[in-house]
Amino acid sequence: MFTKDIVKIPEKVKFNTKKSGIYVYQILNQSYSKEKKYSIDSRVLIGKKIDDNTMHPNNNYFKFYQLENKKEELKNPRTFSDTLSVGDIMLLQSISDNIKLSECLEKVYDEDVKNMIINMASYHIIENSSVYQHYPTFAFKHPVLGKRVYTDSHISQFLHDKINESLIHEFFKLWIEKQSIEGRVIVSYDSTNINCEADGIEISEYGNAKDDKEKRIVNLSYVFDQKNGTPLFYELYSGSITDIAECSKMLKLAKQYGLNHSIFIADRGYFSMKNINSIMKNFDGFIMMAKINNVFIRDTLKENKVNISKVPNYIEKYGVFGIRVKQKLFKQDFDCDARYFYLYFDELKYNADKSNLIILANKDYNEGKELIGTTLSKEDYEYHPYCKFIIDDETEKVTDVEFNQEEFDNNLSESGYFVIVSSLEKEPSKILDDYRNRDSIEKCFRTLKTELGFSKLGVQSEQNLRSKVFIAFIASIIRNHILRSLKELRIKSKKDYTVNAALNSLSRIEATKLGDKSHMVLYSLTKTQKDIIQACGVKLSDINKNYPGF
């Protein structure tokens, strides 16, 4: 993406002419090819030519050069609109102050950087976008902190220069300290991945993509305070690294940040002896969804199936049956006395699992019949578990296929069941409460991709990527506070008190400039607007006021 800035074409560059225009490349180095008998350039695109002397730069340009008018841009900020939308952004700014988010940022960054981080996080939340190309228009229409409207090229430079990894970790420590976590705390841990196709970003790799398997991804894990759903810290890592492998690093970070007295809740993607033993060695315990293909899990389930579905074990709140048993988890487990298996059966899950299994098995069987007359590979046997192939001894070709009813029955026998393993001894209903309350982290990831515009990352460098993810984390904290604050109001009306509906309502609170005076809110706030503001712990006077200097 090329910015609207106009800069001089640097010296010692090369051009490439295409139908869409003439593109300017920065030469990084040259190497002589003995095979081709000429020098090959290592180069990167930095702009699109306008005329013989000027071009529109892209983000790569700012890695090598500064804008010539950058200082002038800072001294002479653009003016603001005569009518500012104040309700939505002032709510976000006030929340940042009230929950001590601004304070933590200001201890790590200077005031200008802190202001830009909160402004850009507000842009994510209000505009449901992570494309900074439209930020100048947003700032022009809102009373942003710092009272400056910056261009998208300045924002790119800001992302590249002002936010770095060491300062982010320093912020995490301060932020977790500010939560005043006392005693044992339950934290949720989960990860997602985001498409990132830009060249030159080392951590963007092919991995276990949840959306598009053909695209490179980066992985992003979050740790939440389970009690209030507040994001505590995150870790960004390479797309090819598995969840199980990354978990050990996250645990080390959690210890560094002072979360020693924590109970970790995680899904089956982190289920391994190494991770569980690491948690038990350094923290207070765990609650984890188990993999049923684990030998001890499967055996324990078989031994106790007859007891699970008894009426006294019914948990009405969730419509499932559940029991607790004490059992060794791994053969090499050094702490087998502290493992509790919570075995559940869900009738609705059973019916859904059964339908899916029938469709899968039938498809597998029909595909297997198409192999009649062929010679099977080792992979063919592995890919078709519901087929029993009849092989001719002489030709070694398939003559017939029978359905593998035994395999089907074995898988069907596990349908509807799920197992949670924990170091804690609780009632099955309480453990299920703890585990299902981790839905805040899943909602956050959905919000990140749908409401904050992070389904894919529009960045050209790894530093910009890391900075952008940090700003989205700040936005997640603020948005989560609004979501929790409006919980009681949503009971009255789901339609009017979602986060987006609330912000849309507040966006209609406008301040108008009268002559050369301050911007003023001319109209009274509606009851809905007042309810939203007060529910979020913000004073009406923080919004319904004059706005000088814009």
Side-chain angles (χ1 to χ4, degrees), residues 224-273:
F224 280 72
D225 183 343
Q226 177 90 332
K227 184 178 180 180
N228 53 29
T230 299
L232 298 175
F233 72 93
Y234 69 84
E235 179 66 15
L236 189 66
Y237 55 102
S238 298
S240 62
I241 297 177
T242 63
D243 291 343
I244 284 182
E246 182 61 23
C247 184
S248 59
K249 185 178 179 183
M250 180 280 301
L251 293 172
K252 290 178 182 176
L253 288 173
K255 194 169 183 179
Q256 289 176 18
Y257 298 147
L259 294 171
N260 305 60
H261 299 293
S262 298
I263 305 294
F264 277 88
I265 300 183
D267 68 17
R268 61 174 58 87
Y270 305 95
F271 183 81
S272 75
M273 184 179 70

Side-chain angles (χ1 to χ4, degrees), residues 183-189 223-226 251 259-266 279-280 282-288 421-424 426 431 434:
R184 180 182 284 183
V185 60
I186 297 179
V187 297
S188 299
Y189 174 62
V223 173
F224 280 72
D225 183 343
Q226 177 90 332
L251 293 172
L259 294 171
N260 305 60
H261 299 293
S262 298
I263 305 294
F264 277 88
I265 300 183
I279 292 172
M280 292 305 299
N282 297 289
F283 302 94
D284 284 0
F286 71 93
I287 300 171
M288 193 175 292
V421 178
S422 178
S423 58
L424 307 180
K426 287 187 174 185
I431 285 290
D434 289 339

Side-chain angles (χ1 to χ4, degrees), residues 156-196:
S156 179
Q157 192 70 35
F158 171 85
L159 293 173
H160 192 270
D161 293 345
K162 298 300 183 180
I163 304 174
N164 63 57
E165 204 71 4
S166 62
L167 294 179
I168 290 173
H169 287 295
E170 190 176 336
F171 167 82
F172 289 153
K173 291 179 183 178
L174 290 169
W175 175 241
I176 291 171
E177 287 175 7
K178 282 294 178 185
Q179 303 314 300
S180 301
I181 296 171
E182 296 180 0
R184 180 182 284 183
V185 60
I186 297 179
V187 297
S188 299
Y189 174 62
D190 205 353
S191 64
T192 188
N193 49 59
I194 304 170
N195 292 339
C196 184

